[in-house]
Amino acid sequence: MMNSLYLMSGEHALPAKEHHYEYEDELQRLIECNPQLVSYAPDDVQLILVQREFAVSDDFGLSLDHLFVDQNGVPVLVEVKRAVDTRIRREVVAQVLDYAACASGWNVDTLRQLFQESNCDNESILETYDTDEFWAAVATNLKAERLILVFAADQIPGRLQTIIDFLNRNLNGIRVYGVEIRRFQTNDSALLSSSVVTNLSAGSEQAALSSRQNWSASAMLEYMEGACGRAVADVCNALIQYAEQLGFRNSFGRNVVRPTFLSKRPDGYWFFQICYSSRTVPIISLHVNNFTSKLNQGPTPDEFRSIFTEQLGLDSQYVRLTKEFVNIDLRGFLEPEKLSAFLGVLTELMEKGGVIPQSSEG
């Protein structure tokens, strides 16, 4: 069945003919200025630009057409192709998967700076989303490889849609969909049509949304005990109590599926975050830069990392180092002496750095 599109002008229906994009840049600029065009639920999901032509990896010179974040701090990777581009099928899929594979190594501080630059003229966006809590959520989602991948085109070929549907069913923690953005023209007006062409399960999406909640200490500990056991929950409770005793600014995750805890030092920088690197692995995450360059007489990044790989005697299977974070599985602290030594190190660093008084005890 053939459908025709008309624009009403008074009582007259003016035919609108499809006007194809001459260059890919036209479609990219359109999405940059109107992110809702690639949202799977424009009324409920807000996409905010981090950067157009985002450099995915310095090693290979890869560049993603658009990097957005949604209102829950989930990174949204958008790759754009015109239907006439013969690469729109297999090659574009390989590109997007390549980009997604790099995401867990992205530097959150760099993303935040790019976000600020892209939204410098929008005070409302910066006030709402340029917060430590929001970017802690972004960091958590990157570590957990929780992403949204979007293929945008003026027309999604059937074969590409089949591939996208397959990926969406089988990539755990990653949502994949395609969007057709078609443009129609009358004599003096333009119309846009944006359609999600992928089979997104309304039932599973509603279940995911309904499982989000605002967390508290008691809810977090109850969840952790059920998922990981009483001993791990006790470790989490000890870390929360430690931060509270120091008088730090602490907050729990809001509108997220799994619980998180963020502790900020009095100067506003991260102290530590407790989150899940996967569905069953709770970690404490320390921001390397905030313990090195942000503290008076702070250790070098290498010295800071060596504390947890050499000095504390933690089992290597529980410690994961990245350029930006020291991540430690809470199961590494099940022995009380190791947890005590860890808290002692944190206290010493904060005392030397002038963040807490010398008389404070962990």
Side-chain angles (χ1 to χ4, degrees):
M1 181 177 63
M2 180 177 176
N3 294 319
S4 298
L5 187 65
Y6 293 86
L7 177 67
M8 292 300 299
S9 177
E11 296 182 348
H12 300 284
L14 305 178
K17 297 181 180 180
E18 185 160 11
H19 185 75
H20 296 286
Y21 304 99
E22 186 175 357
Y23 301 103
E24 186 178 301
D25 182 71
E26 291 182 83
L27 186 50
Q28 288 186 6
R29 284 190 286 108
L30 191 60
I31 293 171
E32 178 184 5
C33 298
N34 304 276
Q36 70 272 21
L37 292 173
V38 293
S39 174
Y40 64 88
D43 293 336
D44 301 316
V45 178
Q46 181 173 13
L47 302 185
I48 312 104
L49 182 68
V50 175
Q51 190 181 45
R52 179 179 166 186
E53 297 295 344
F54 172 70
V56 173
S57 170
D58 294 334
D59 296 335
F60 304 106
L62 301 175
S63 180
L64 173 69
D65 287 336
H66 304 85
L67 176 62
F68 296 97
V69 286
D70 73 7
Q71 77 273 19
N72 296 313
V74 178
V76 181
L77 289 64
V78 180
E79 188 66 11
V80 179
K81 287 288 183 291
R82 293 183 302 146
V84 296
D85 191 333
T86 57
R87 301 172 300 167
I88 196 171
R89 296 174 184 170
R90 296 179 182 176
E91 186 173 328
V92 71
V93 172
Q95 280 182 318
V96 172
L97 293 179
D98 203 352
Y99 301 156
C102 298
S104 62
W106 293 344
N107 186 298
V108 174
D109 288 340
T110 299
L111 297 186
R112 186 171 184 176
Q113 182 177 351
L114 295 173
F115 178 92
Q116 293 168 346
E117 293 171 358
S118 295
N119 298 279
C120 61
D121 295 328
N122 194 325
E123 293 184 6
S124 176
I125 288 292
L126 293 178
E127 182 178 348
T128 303
Y129 297 108
D130 189 25
T131 66
D132 284 353
E133 288 80 2
F134 180 78
W135 289 98
V138 175
T140 299
N141 288 322
L142 287 173
K143 286 196 286 284
E145 296 182 325
R146 191 177 302 116
L147 310 168
I148 296 174
L149 311 181
V150 183
F151 298 85
D154 50 350
Q155 184 177 359
I156 301 289
R159 180 58 181 160
L160 177 57
Q161 181 176 343
T162 299
I163 296 172
I164 293 172
D165 287 341
F166 174 81
L167 294 175
N168 192 52
R169 291 194 306 268
N170 290 281
L171 288 181
N172 186 30
I174 298 180
R175 174 183 297 279
V176 188
Y177 62 91
V179 177
E180 287 185 348
I181 303 173
R182 303 174 67 180
R183 181 171 60 182
F184 300 85
Q185 192 83 35
T186 65
N187 290 334
D188 55 3
S189 299
L191 300 174
L192 293 174
S193 169
S194 176
S195 304
V196 175
V197 299
T198 310
N199 182 25
L200 293 174
S201 169
S204 61
E205 172 63 14
Q206 187 60 40
L209 290 174
S210 65
S211 65
R212 295 180 182 275
Q213 61 176 289
N214 297 333
W215 294 88
S216 63
S218 59
M220 182 174 190
L221 295 174
E222 181 180 357
Y223 178 97
M224 193 168 291
E225 182 173 350
C228 310
R230 177 63 181 273
V232 174
D234 286 344
V235 170
C236 179
N237 186 44
L239 293 169
I240 293 173
Q241 292 294 324
Y242 173 71
E244 291 179 348
Q245 289 168 8
L246 293 179
F248 285 4
R249 293 156 52 193
N250 304 312
S251 59
F252 294 87
R254 299 181 62 82
N255 194 32
V256 291
V257 175
R258 287 186 286 273
T260 61
F261 171 80
L262 178 67
S263 181
K264 293 195 292 187
R265 304 180 331 216
D267 55 11
Y269 291 103
W270 289 23
F271 181 41
F272 64 75
Q273 180 189 16
I274 301 173
C275 57
Y276 278 78
S277 64
S278 70
R279 293 181 178 180
T280 59
V281 180
I283 62 171
I284 181 169
S285 186
L286 308 175
H287 196 292
V288 174
N289 191 50
N290 287 348
F291 277 93
T292 55
S293 65
K294 305 299 183 184
L295 289 178
N296 299 328
Q297 302 177 10
T300 67
D302 286 342
E303 290 171 343
F304 182 72
R305 295 185 186 95
S306 72
I307 292 173
F308 308 99
T309 56
E310 299 173 13
Q311 297 181 33
L312 290 183
L314 295 172
D315 193 318
S316 60
Q317 69 173 312
Y318 297 129
V319 182
R320 182 175 176 232
L321 305 179
T322 69
K323 180 179 179 181
E324 195 173 3
F325 298 101
V326 171
N327 300 317
I328 307 173
D329 187 327
L330 296 193
R331 292 173 297 179
F333 300 120
L334 294 183
E335 297 177 23
E337 60 271 18
K338 290 188 176 180
L339 178 59
S340 178
F342 174 74
L343 297 180
V345 164
L346 294 186
T347 300
E348 183 179 356
L349 286 170
M350 302 304 279
E351 288 178 346
K352 288 183 177 179
V355 177
I356 60 176
Q358 291 285 332
S359 58
S360 295
E361 296 180 0

